Amino acid sequence: MTTASNGKTNIKVSTLIFDVDDTLYDAECGFSNHRNTQGAPLFMQEFLGLDQDTALEIRNKYFSKYHSTAKALAVAQDDGVFGDKQFKQQDLEEFFATRLEFDMLGGPKEQLATDLATCSCRLVAFSNGPRAYVKRVLKELGLSQVFGDDKLFAVTDTLPACKPEKEAFDKIFEAFGIKAEDSIMVEDSMKNIIRAKELGLYTILVTGKPIDDDHRNDDAPDASHPAVDLAIESVQDLKHVMPSLWATPPTFQVSSKSIV
C-alpha cells in the first residue's frame, strides 16, 4: 500500500467481481426493464396461471424485497401465493435463457472483451440471475471467453441466498478463495454495493446514464454514497479511468476515507 502524489492510496488487489445485468451492459438499452416488466410476468402467466396484472404485482412485491426473480418466486411459492401451481427454478432458467429479447443488448462488446481479457486481475461474474440465463447474456455480449463456467457464480449456485445477503457472498468467497480486503465489487445496485463495502470489499459503482423509467427505483445508483469508492458511467470506461488495474501488480486508487 503506497500513497500517490494526488493524496490517494494505491491498494494491491487481486480480484474483480462483476455483476452482470446493468453492469456489463448499459441499463439504458432497456433489456432489464423488458426482463422484469414483460419477461417475468409472461413466465408467471404461462407457468403459474396468473393474469398479467396479478403476475406483475406479485413479482414486484417479492422482487423489491429479495432482489432476484428466482428467489422472489421461490419465496412466493413457499407463501402459497400460486395455489396448486408449482414454481420450478428450472422452468424459469430455461424461459429466461430462451424467451427474452436479447437483441436489445446490442451485440458483442468487442473492446470491453479485449480490455477485460488483458486485465491483470482475476475476473469473476456474480449474478442474481439463473445460470443458463447469465451464460446467454455473456454470450450475447461476446464475454463468454472472459467469464467461463469456472468464473461464473449465478443465483443457481447461491440459493436459497442471493445478493445482497451475506450468505451469498460467503459462498462465492469460499468457492473462489476470495479475500475481501484485496477484491473489488463492480455493481450498479446500491444494495449490493453497500453490502460489499460492509464485508470489506472495495467498490466500483456503474451509474449508467440517467433514464426516465428506471426499473431499479429505490436501488438506483447513488455515486455520492459513502460505500462507493469509485463511480463510472459505463463499465467500458473502467480501463481508461483506472488503468492501474491493468498494471503488474494491479492496484486500485482509493481515498484515505475508504481504508479501514
Side-chain angles (χ1 to χ4, degrees), residues 27-107:
E28 65 176 331
C29 76
F31 179 72
S32 283
N33 194 49
H34 153 68
R35 182 188 65 249
N36 291 329
T37 64
Q38 298 175 341
L42 181 59
F43 166 82
M44 296 169 72
Q45 291 174 68
E46 292 189 9
F47 285 83
L48 300 173
L50 302 174
D51 63 73
Q52 183 176 5
D53 290 342
T54 302
L56 187 59
E57 179 183 355
I58 292 172
R59 186 266 172 198
N60 290 344
K61 174 183 176 181
Y62 282 86
F63 185 87
S64 65
K65 183 174 181 179
Y66 296 105
H67 209 54
S68 164
T69 298
K71 176 156 185 177
L73 297 185
V75 175
Q77 170 76 36
D78 292 342
D79 287 349
V81 171
F82 306 132
D84 59 356
K85 296 289 186 179
Q86 184 72 29
F87 166 64
K88 298 178 181 179
Q89 291 288 351
Q90 59 267 34
D91 290 339
L92 179 67
E93 185 148 1
E94 181 177 357
F95 186 94
F96 269 14
T98 60
R99 298 282 298 278
L100 299 179
E101 299 294 334
F102 289 95
D103 288 348
M104 297 177 70
L105 293 171

Coordinates of all heavy atoms in Angstrom, one line a residue, residues 27-107:
A27 N -27.7 0.0 -18.7 CA -29.1 -0.1 -18.3 C -30.0 0.6 -19.3 O -31.2 0.2 -19.5 CB -29.3 0.5 -16.9
E28 N -29.5 1.7 -20.0 CA -30.4 2.5 -20.9 C -30.8 1.6 -22.1 O -31.8 2.1 -22.8 CB -29.7 3.7 -21.4 CG -28.4 3.4 -22.2 CD -27.8 4.7 -22.8 OE1 -28.5 5.7 -22.9 OE2 -26.6 4.7 -23.0
C29 N -30.2 0.5 -22.4 CA -30.7 -0.3 -23.5 C -32.1 -0.9 -23.3 O -32.8 -1.3 -24.2 CB -29.7 -1.5 -23.8 SG -29.8 -2.9 -22.6
G30 N -32.5 -0.9 -22.0 CA -33.9 -1.3 -21.7 C -34.1 -2.8 -21.5 O -35.2 -3.3 -21.2
F31 N -33.0 -3.6 -21.6 CA -33.2 -5.0 -21.5 C -33.7 -5.5 -20.2 O -34.5 -6.4 -20.0 CB -31.9 -5.7 -21.9 CG -31.9 -7.3 -21.8 CD1 -32.6 -8.0 -22.7 CD2 -31.3 -7.9 -20.7 CE1 -32.7 -9.4 -22.6 CE2 -31.4 -9.3 -20.7 CZ -32.1 -10.0 -21.6
S32 N -33.1 -4.9 -19.1 CA -33.5 -5.3 -17.7 C -35.0 -5.0 -17.5 O -35.7 -5.7 -16.9 CB -32.6 -4.7 -16.7 OG -31.4 -5.4 -16.6
N33 N -35.4 -3.8 -18.0 CA -36.8 -3.4 -17.8 C -37.7 -4.3 -18.6 O -38.8 -4.7 -18.0 CB -37.0 -2.0 -18.3 CG -38.3 -1.4 -17.9 OD1 -38.7 -1.4 -16.7 ND2 -39.0 -0.8 -18.9
H34 N -37.3 -4.8 -19.7 CA -38.0 -5.8 -20.5 C -38.1 -7.1 -19.8 O -39.2 -7.7 -19.7 CB -37.3 -6.0 -21.9 CG -37.6 -7.3 -22.5 ND1 -38.8 -7.7 -22.9 CD2 -36.7 -8.3 -22.7 CE1 -38.7 -9.0 -23.4 NE2 -37.4 -9.4 -23.3
R35 N -37.0 -7.5 -19.2 CA -37.0 -8.8 -18.5 C -37.9 -8.8 -17.3 O -38.7 -9.7 -17.0 CB -35.6 -9.1 -18.0 CG -35.4 -10.5 -17.3 CD -34.0 -10.6 -16.7 NE -33.8 -9.6 -15.6 CZ -32.9 -8.6 -15.7 NH1 -32.2 -8.5 -16.8 NH2 -32.7 -7.8 -14.7
N36 N -37.9 -7.6 -16.6 CA -38.6 -7.5 -15.3 C -40.1 -7.2 -15.5 O -41.0 -7.8 -14.8 CB -38.0 -6.4 -14.4 CG -36.6 -6.8 -13.9 OD1 -36.3 -8.0 -13.7 ND2 -35.8 -5.8 -13.7
T37 N -40.5 -6.4 -16.5 CA -41.8 -6.0 -16.6 C -42.6 -6.7 -17.7 O -43.8 -6.7 -17.7 CB -41.9 -4.5 -16.9 OG1 -41.3 -4.2 -18.2 CG2 -41.2 -3.6 -15.9
Q38 N -41.9 -7.4 -18.5 CA -42.5 -8.2 -19.6 C -42.2 -9.7 -19.5 O -43.1 -10.6 -19.5 CB -42.1 -7.7 -21.0 CG -42.6 -6.3 -21.2 CD -42.1 -5.7 -22.6 OE1 -41.1 -6.3 -23.1 NE2 -42.7 -4.6 -23.0
G39 N -40.9 -10.0 -19.4 CA -40.5 -11.4 -19.4 C -40.9 -12.2 -18.1 O -41.6 -13.2 -18.3
A40 N -40.7 -11.6 -16.9 CA -41.1 -12.3 -15.7 C -42.6 -12.5 -15.6 O -43.1 -13.6 -15.3 CB -40.5 -11.6 -14.5
P41 N -43.4 -11.4 -15.9 CA -44.9 -11.6 -15.8 C -45.4 -12.6 -16.8 O -46.3 -13.4 -16.6 CB -45.4 -10.2 -16.1 CG -44.3 -9.3 -15.6 CD -43.0 -10.0 -16.0
L42 N -44.7 -12.6 -18.0 CA -45.2 -13.6 -19.1 C -44.9 -15.0 -18.6 O -45.7 -15.9 -18.8 CB -44.5 -13.3 -20.4 CG -44.8 -14.3 -21.6 CD1 -46.3 -14.2 -21.8 CD2 -44.0 -13.9 -22.8
F43 N -43.7 -15.2 -18.0 CA -43.4 -16.6 -17.4 C -44.5 -17.0 -16.4 O -45.0 -18.1 -16.4 CB -42.0 -16.5 -16.8 CG -41.8 -17.7 -15.9 CD1 -41.3 -18.9 -16.5 CD2 -42.0 -17.7 -14.5 CE1 -41.1 -20.1 -15.7 CE2 -41.8 -18.8 -13.7 CZ -41.3 -20.0 -14.3
M44 N -44.9 -16.0 -15.5 CA -45.8 -16.3 -14.5 C -47.2 -16.6 -15.1 O -48.0 -17.4 -14.5 CB -45.9 -15.2 -13.5 CG -44.5 -15.0 -12.7 SD -44.5 -13.4 -11.8 CE -45.6 -13.8 -10.5
Q45 N -47.5 -16.0 -16.2 CA -48.8 -16.3 -16.8 C -48.8 -17.7 -17.4 O -49.8 -18.4 -17.2 CB -49.1 -15.2 -17.9 CG -49.3 -13.8 -17.5 CD -49.4 -12.9 -18.6 OE1 -50.4 -12.9 -19.4 NE2 -48.4 -12.0 -18.7
E46 N -47.7 -18.0 -18.1 CA -47.7 -19.3 -18.8 C -47.5 -20.5 -17.9 O -48.1 -21.6 -18.1 CB -46.5 -19.3 -19.9 CG -46.8 -18.3 -21.0 CD -45.8 -18.5 -22.1 OE1 -45.0 -19.4 -22.1 OE2 -45.8 -17.6 -23.0
F47 N -46.7 -20.3 -16.8 CA -46.3 -21.5 -16.0 C -47.1 -21.5 -14.7 O -47.2 -22.6 -14.0 CB -44.8 -21.4 -15.7 CG -44.0 -21.9 -16.8 CD1 -43.7 -21.0 -17.8 CD2 -43.5 -23.2 -17.0 CE1 -42.9 -21.4 -18.9 CE2 -42.8 -23.6 -18.0 CZ -42.4 -22.7 -19.0
L48 N -47.6 -20.3 -14.2 CA -48.3 -20.3 -12.9 C -49.8 -19.9 -13.0 O -50.4 -19.8 -12.0 CB -47.6 -19.3 -12.0 CG -46.1 -19.7 -11.7 CD1 -45.4 -18.6 -11.0 CD2 -46.0 -21.1 -11.0
G49 N -50.2 -19.7 -14.2 CA -51.7 -19.5 -14.5 C -52.2 -18.1 -14.0 O -53.4 -18.0 -13.7
L50 N -51.4 -17.1 -13.9 CA -51.8 -15.8 -13.4 C -52.2 -14.9 -14.6 O -51.6 -15.0 -15.7 CB -50.7 -15.2 -12.6 CG -50.2 -16.0 -11.3 CD1 -49.0 -15.3 -10.7 CD2 -51.4 -16.2 -10.3
D51 N -53.0 -13.9 -14.3 CA -53.3 -12.9 -15.3 C -52.1 -11.9 -15.3 O -51.3 -11.8 -14.3 CB -54.6 -12.2 -15.2 CG -54.7 -11.5 -13.8 OD1 -54.1 -10.4 -13.7 OD2 -55.4 -11.9 -12.9
Q52 N -52.0 -11.0 -16.3 CA -50.8 -10.2 -16.4 C -50.7 -9.2 -15.2 O -49.6 -9.1 -14.7 CB -50.9 -9.4 -17.7 CG -49.7 -8.5 -18.0 CD -49.8 -7.7 -19.3 OE1 -50.8 -7.8 -20.0 NE2 -48.7 -7.0 -19.6
D53 N -51.7 -8.6 -14.8 CA -51.7 -7.6 -13.8 C -51.3 -8.2 -12.4 O -50.5 -7.7 -11.7 CB -53.0 -6.8 -13.6 CG -53.3 -5.9 -14.8 OD1 -52.3 -5.6 -15.5 OD2 -54.4 -5.5 -15.0
T54 N -51.9 -9.4 -12.1 CA -51.6 -10.1 -10.9 C -50.1 -10.6 -10.9 O -49.4 -10.5 -9.9 CB -52.5 -11.3 -10.7 OG1 -53.9 -10.8 -10.7 CG2 -52.2 -12.0 -9.4
A55 N -49.7 -11.1 -12.0 CA -48.3 -11.5 -12.2 C -47.3 -10.4 -11.9 O -46.4 -10.6 -11.1 CB -48.1 -12.1 -13.5
L56 N -47.5 -9.3 -12.5 CA -46.6 -8.1 -12.3 C -46.7 -7.6 -10.8 O -45.6 -7.3 -10.2 CB -47.0 -7.0 -13.2 CG -46.0 -5.8 -13.2 CD1 -44.6 -6.3 -13.6 CD2 -46.5 -4.7 -14.2
E57 N -47.9 -7.6 -10.2 CA -48.0 -7.2 -8.8 C -47.2 -8.1 -7.9 O -46.5 -7.6 -7.0 CB -49.5 -7.1 -8.5 CG -49.7 -6.7 -7.0 CD -51.2 -6.7 -6.6 OE1 -52.0 -7.0 -7.5 OE2 -51.5 -6.5 -5.4
I58 N -47.4 -9.4 -8.1 CA -46.7 -10.4 -7.2 C -45.2 -10.3 -7.4 O -44.4 -10.3 -6.5 CB -47.2 -11.8 -7.5 CG1 -48.7 -11.9 -7.0 CG2 -46.3 -12.8 -6.8 CD1 -49.3 -13.2 -7.4
R59 N -44.8 -10.2 -8.7 CA -43.4 -10.2 -9.0 C -42.7 -9.0 -8.3 O -41.7 -9.1 -7.7 CB -43.1 -10.2 -10.5 CG -41.7 -10.3 -10.9 CD -41.1 -8.9 -11.1 NE -39.7 -9.0 -11.4 CZ -38.9 -8.0 -11.2 NH1 -39.3 -6.8 -10.9 NH2 -37.6 -8.1 -11.4
N60 N -43.3 -7.8 -8.5 CA -42.8 -6.6 -7.9 C -42.7 -6.6 -6.4 O -41.8 -6.1 -5.8 CB -43.6 -5.4 -8.4 CG -43.3 -5.1 -9.9 OD1 -42.4 -5.6 -10.5 ND2 -44.2 -4.3 -10.5
K61 N -43.8 -7.1 -5.8 CA -43.9 -7.2 -4.3 C -42.7 -8.0 -3.8 O -42.0 -7.5 -2.8 CB -45.2 -7.8 -3.9 CG -45.3 -8.0 -2.4 CD -46.6 -8.7 -2.0 CE -46.6 -9.0 -0.5 NZ -47.9 -9.7 -0.2
Y62 N -42.5 -9.1 -4.3 CA -41.4 -10.0 -3.8 C -40.0 -9.6 -4.3 O -39.0 -9.7 -3.5 CB -41.7 -11.5 -4.1 CG -42.8 -12.1 -3.3 CD1 -44.1 -11.9 -3.6 CD2 -42.4 -12.8 -2.1 CE1 -45.1 -12.5 -2.7 CE2 -43.4 -13.3 -1.3 CZ -44.8 -13.2 -1.6 OH -45.7 -13.7 -0.8
F63 N -39.9 -9.1 -5.5 CA -38.6 -8.7 -6.0 C -38.0 -7.5 -5.2 O -36.8 -7.5 -5.0 CB -38.7 -8.4 -7.5 CG -37.4 -8.1 -8.1 CD1 -36.6 -9.1 -8.7 CD2 -36.9 -6.8 -8.2 CE1 -35.3 -8.8 -9.2 CE2 -35.6 -6.5 -8.8 CZ -34.9 -7.5 -9.3
S64 N -38.9 -6.6 -4.8 CA -38.4 -5.4 -4.1 C -37.7 -5.8 -2.8 O -36.9 -5.1 -2.3 CB -39.6 -4.5 -3.8 OG -40.5 -5.1 -2.9
K65 N -38.1 -7.0 -2.3 CA -37.5 -7.5 -1.0 C -36.3 -8.4 -1.2 O -35.4 -8.3 -0.5 CB -38.6 -8.2 -0.2 CG -38.1 -8.7 1.2 CD -39.2 -9.3 2.0 CE -38.7 -9.7 3.4 NZ -39.8 -10.2 4.2
Y66 N -36.4 -9.2 -2.3 CA -35.4 -10.3 -2.4 C -34.4 -10.0 -3.6 O -33.4 -10.7 -3.7 CB -36.1 -11.6 -2.6 CG -36.8 -12.0 -1.3 CD1 -38.2 -11.9 -1.3 CD2 -36.1 -12.4 -0.2 CE1 -38.9 -12.3 -0.1 CE2 -36.8 -12.7 1.0 CZ -38.2 -12.7 1.0 OH -38.9 -13.0 2.1
H67 N -34.7 -9.0 -4.5 CA -33.7 -8.6 -5.4 C -33.3 -9.6 -6.4 O -32.2 -9.6 -7.0 CB -32.5 -8.0 -4.7 CG -31.8 -6.9 -5.5 ND1 -32.5 -5.8 -6.0 CD2 -30.5 -6.8 -5.9 CE1 -31.6 -5.1 -6.6 NE2 -30.4 -5.6 -6.6
S68 N -34.1 -10.7 -6.6 CA -33.8 -11.7 -7.6 C -35.1 -12.4 -7.9 O -35.9 -12.8 -7.0 CB -32.9 -12.8 -7.0 OG -32.9 -13.9 -7.8
T69 N -35.5 -12.4 -9.2 CA -36.7 -13.1 -9.6 C -36.8 -14.5 -9.2 O -37.8 -15.0 -8.7 CB -37.0 -13.0 -11.1 OG1 -37.0 -11.6 -11.5 CG2 -38.2 -13.7 -11.5
A70 N -35.6 -15.2 -9.3 CA -35.6 -16.6 -8.9 C -35.9 -16.8 -7.4 O -36.7 -17.7 -7.0 CB -34.2 -17.2 -9.2
K71 N -35.3 -16.0 -6.6 CA -35.6 -16.1 -5.1 C -37.0 -15.6 -4.8 O -37.7 -16.2 -4.0 CB -34.6 -15.4 -4.3 CG -34.9 -15.5 -2.8 CD -33.8 -15.3 -1.9 CE -34.2 -15.5 -0.4 NZ -33.1 -15.5 0.5
A72 N -37.4 -14.5 -5.4 CA -38.7 -13.9 -5.2 C -39.8 -14.9 -5.4 O -40.7 -15.0 -4.6 CB -38.9 -12.6 -6.0
L73 N -39.8 -15.6 -6.6 CA -40.8 -16.6 -6.9 C -40.7 -17.8 -6.0 O -41.8 -18.4 -5.7 CB -40.7 -17.0 -8.4 CG -41.0 -15.8 -9.4 CD1 -41.0 -16.3 -10.8 CD2 -42.2 -15.1 -9.1
A74 N -39.5 -18.2 -5.6 CA -39.4 -19.3 -4.6 C -40.1 -19.0 -3.3 O -40.8 -19.8 -2.7 CB -37.9 -19.6 -4.4
V75 N -39.9 -17.7 -2.8 CA -40.5 -17.3 -1.5 C -42.0 -17.2 -1.7 O -42.8 -17.6 -0.8 CB -39.9 -16.0 -1.0 CG1 -40.6 -15.6 0.2 CG2 -38.4 -16.2 -0.7
A76 N -42.4 -16.7 -2.8 CA -43.9 -16.6 -3.1 C -44.5 -18.0 -3.1 O -45.6 -18.2 -2.6 CB -44.1 -15.9 -4.4
Q77 N -43.8 -18.9 -3.7 CA -44.2 -20.3 -3.7 C -44.4 -20.8 -2.3 O -45.4 -21.4 -1.9 CB -43.2 -21.2 -4.5 CG -43.5 -22.7 -4.4 CD -44.6 -23.2 -5.2 OE1 -44.8 -22.6 -6.3 NE2 -45.3 -24.1 -4.7
D78 N -43.4 -20.6 -1.4 CA -43.5 -21.0 0.0 C -44.6 -20.4 0.7 O -45.2 -21.0 1.6 CB -42.1 -20.8 0.7 CG -41.0 -21.6 0.1 OD1 -41.3 -22.6 -0.5 OD2 -39.8 -21.2 0.4
D79 N -45.0 -19.2 0.3 CA -46.1 -18.4 0.9 C -47.4 -18.9 0.4 O -48.5 -18.3 0.9 CB -45.9 -16.9 0.7 CG -44.8 -16.3 1.5 OD1 -44.2 -17.0 2.4 OD2 -44.4 -15.1 1.3
G80 N -47.5 -19.8 -0.5 CA -48.7 -20.3 -1.0 C -49.4 -19.4 -2.0 O -50.6 -19.5 -2.3
V81 N -48.7 -18.4 -2.6 CA -49.3 -17.4 -3.5 C -49.8 -18.1 -4.8 O -50.8 -17.6 -5.3 CB -48.2 -16.3 -3.8 CG1 -48.7 -15.4 -4.9 CG2 -47.9 -15.5 -2.6
F82 N -49.2 -19.1 -5.2 CA -49.6 -19.7 -6.5 C -50.6 -20.9 -6.4 O -50.9 -21.5 -7.4 CB -48.3 -20.2 -7.2 CG -47.3 -19.2 -7.4 CD1 -45.9 -19.4 -7.1 CD2 -47.6 -17.9 -7.8 CE1 -44.9 -18.5 -7.2 CE2 -46.6 -16.9 -7.9 CZ -45.3 -17.2 -7.6
G83 N -51.2 -21.1 -5.2 CA -52.2 -22.1 -5.1 C -51.6 -23.5 -5.4 O -50.6 -23.9 -4.9
D84 N -52.4 -24.2 -6.3 CA -52.0 -25.5 -6.6 C -50.9 -25.6 -7.8 O -50.5 -26.7 -8.2 CB -53.2 -26.4 -7.0 CG -53.9 -25.8 -8.2 OD1 -53.6 -24.7 -8.7 OD2 -54.9 -26.5 -8.7
K85 N -50.5 -24.4 -8.3 CA -49.4 -24.4 -9.3 C -48.1 -24.5 -8.6 O -47.9 -24.0 -7.5 CB -49.5 -23.1 -10.1 CG -50.8 -22.9 -10.9 CD -50.8 -23.9 -12.1 CE -52.0 -23.6 -13.0 NZ -52.0 -24.6 -14.2
Q86 N -47.1 -25.1 -9.3 CA -45.8 -25.3 -8.7 C -44.7 -24.5 -9.4 O -44.5 -24.7 -10.6 CB -45.4 -26.8 -8.7 CG -44.1 -27.2 -8.0 CD -44.2 -27.1 -6.5 OE1 -45.3 -27.3 -5.9 NE2 -43.1 -26.8 -5.9
F87 N -44.1 -23.6 -8.8 CA -43.0 -22.9 -9.4 C -41.7 -23.7 -9.4 O -41.3 -24.3 -8.3 CB -42.7 -21.5 -8.6 CG -41.3 -20.9 -9.0 CD1 -41.1 -20.5 -10.3 CD2 -40.3 -20.8 -8.1 CE1 -39.9 -19.9 -10.7 CE2 -39.1 -20.3 -8.4 CZ -38.9 -19.8 -9.7
K88 N -41.1 -23.9 -10.5 CA -39.9 -24.7 -10.6 C -38.7 -23.8 -11.2 O -38.9 -23.1 -12.2 CB -40.1 -25.8 -11.6 CG -41.1 -26.8 -11.1 CD -41.4 -28.0 -12.1 CE -42.4 -28.9 -11.6 NZ -42.7 -30.0 -12.6
Q89 N -37.6 -23.8 -10.5 CA -36.5 -23.0 -10.9 C -36.0 -23.3 -12.3 O -35.6 -22.4 -13.1 CB -35.3 -23.2 -9.9 CG -35.5 -22.6 -8.5 CD -35.5 -21.1 -8.5 OE1 -35.1 -20.5 -9.4 NE2 -35.8 -20.5 -7.3
Q90 N -36.0 -24.6 -12.7 CA -35.5 -25.0 -14.0 C -36.4 -24.4 -15.1 O -35.9 -24.1 -16.2 CB -35.4 -26.5 -14.1 CG -36.7 -27.3 -13.9 CD -36.9 -27.8 -12.5 OE1 -36.5 -27.1 -11.6 NE2 -37.4 -28.9 -12.4
D91 N -37.7 -24.2 -14.8 CA -38.6 -23.6 -15.8 C -38.2 -22.1 -16.0 O -38.2 -21.7 -17.2 CB -40.1 -23.7 -15.3 CG -40.6 -25.1 -15.3 OD1 -40.1 -25.9 -16.1 OD2 -41.6 -25.3 -14.6
L92 N -38.0 -21.4 -14.9 CA -37.6 -20.0 -15.1 C -36.2 -19.9 -15.8 O -36.0 -19.0 -16.6 CB -37.5 -19.3 -13.7 CG -37.1 -17.9 -13.7 CD1 -38.1 -17.0 -14.3 CD2 -36.8 -17.4 -12.2
E93 N -35.3 -20.8 -15.4 CA -34.0 -20.7 -16.0 C -34.1 -20.9 -17.5 O -33.5 -20.1 -18.3 CB -33.1 -21.8 -15.4 CG -31.7 -21.8 -15.9 CD -30.7 -22.3 -14.8 OE1 -31.1 -22.6 -13.7 OE2 -29.5 -22.3 -15.1
E94 N -34.8 -21.9 -18.0 CA -35.0 -22.1 -19.4 C -35.7 -21.0 -20.1 O -35.3 -20.5 -21.2 CB -35.7 -23.4 -19.7 CG -35.8 -23.7 -21.2 CD -36.5 -25.1 -21.4 OE1 -36.8 -25.8 -20.5 OE2 -36.7 -25.4 -22.6
F95 N -36.8 -20.5 -19.5 CA -37.5 -19.4 -20.0 C -36.7 -18.1 -20.2 O -36.7 -17.5 -21.3 CB -38.7 -19.1 -19.1 CG -39.7 -18.0 -19.7 CD1 -40.8 -18.4 -20.4 CD2 -39.5 -16.7 -19.5 CE1 -41.7 -17.5 -20.9 CE2 -40.3 -15.7 -20.0 CZ -41.5 -16.1 -20.8
F96 N -36.0 -17.7 -19.2 CA -35.1 -16.5 -19.2 C -34.0 -16.7 -20.3 O -33.6 -15.7 -20.9 CB -34.5 -16.2 -17.9 CG -35.4 -15.3 -17.0 CD1 -36.7 -15.0 -17.4 CD2 -34.9 -14.7 -15.9 CE1 -37.5 -14.1 -16.6 CE2 -35.6 -13.8 -15.2 CZ -36.9 -13.5 -15.5
A97 N -33.5 -17.9 -20.4 CA -32.4 -18.1 -21.4 C -32.8 -18.2 -22.8 O -32.0 -18.0 -23.7 CB -31.7 -19.4 -21.0
T98 N -34.1 -18.4 -23.1 CA -34.5 -18.6 -24.4 C -35.7 -17.7 -24.9 O -35.8 -17.5 -26.2 CB -35.1 -20.1 -24.6 OG1 -36.2 -20.3 -23.7 CG2 -33.9 -21.1 -24.3
R99 N -36.4 -17.0 -24.1 CA -37.6 -16.3 -24.5 C -37.5 -14.8 -24.4 O -38.4 -14.1 -24.8 CB -38.8 -16.8 -23.6 CG -39.1 -18.3 -23.8 CD -39.9 -18.5 -25.1 NE -41.1 -17.8 -25.1 CZ -42.2 -18.2 -24.4 NH1 -42.3 -19.3 -23.8 NH2 -43.4 -17.5 -24.5
L100 N -36.4 -14.2 -24.0 CA -36.2 -12.8 -23.8 C -35.7 -12.2 -25.1 O -35.1 -12.9 -26.0 CB -35.3 -12.5 -22.6 CG -35.8 -12.9 -21.3 CD1 -34.8 -12.6 -20.2 CD2 -37.2 -12.4 -21.0
E101 N -35.8 -10.9 -25.2 CA -35.3 -10.1 -26.4 C -33.9 -9.8 -26.3 O -33.5 -8.6 -26.0 CB -36.2 -8.9 -26.6 CG -37.7 -9.2 -26.9 CD -38.0 -10.0 -28.2 OE1 -37.1 -9.8 -29.1 OE2 -39.0 -10.7 -28.2
F102 N -33.0 -10.7 -26.5 CA -31.6 -10.5 -26.3 C -30.9 -9.5 -27.3 O -29.9 -9.0 -27.1 CB -30.8 -11.8 -26.3 CG -31.1 -12.7 -25.1 CD1 -32.1 -13.6 -25.2 CD2 -30.4 -12.5 -23.9 CE1 -32.3 -14.4 -24.0 CE2 -30.7 -13.2 -22.8 CZ -31.6 -14.2 -22.9
D103 N -31.6 -9.3 -28.4 CA -31.1 -8.3 -29.4 C -31.0 -6.9 -28.8 O -30.3 -6.0 -29.2 CB -32.0 -8.2 -30.6 CG -31.9 -9.4 -31.5 OD1 -31.0 -10.2 -31.3 OD2 -32.8 -9.6 -32.4
M104 N -31.8 -6.6 -27.7 CA -31.8 -5.4 -27.0 C -30.4 -5.0 -26.4 O -30.1 -3.9 -26.2 CB -32.8 -5.3 -26.0 CG -34.3 -5.4 -26.5 SD -35.5 -5.4 -25.1 CE -35.4 -3.7 -24.6
L105 N -29.6 -6.1 -26.2 CA -28.3 -5.9 -25.6 C -27.3 -5.2 -26.6 O -26.3 -4.7 -26.1 CB -27.7 -7.2 -25.1 CG -28.4 -7.9 -24.0 CD1 -27.9 -9.3 -23.8 CD2 -28.3 -7.1 -22.7
G106 N -27.6 -5.2 -27.9 CA -26.8 -4.5 -28.8 C -25.6 -5.3 -29.4 O -24.8 -4.7 -30.0
G107 N -25.5 -6.6 -29.1 CA -24.5 -7.4 -29.7 C -23.2 -7.4 -28.9 O -23.1 -6.8 -27.8

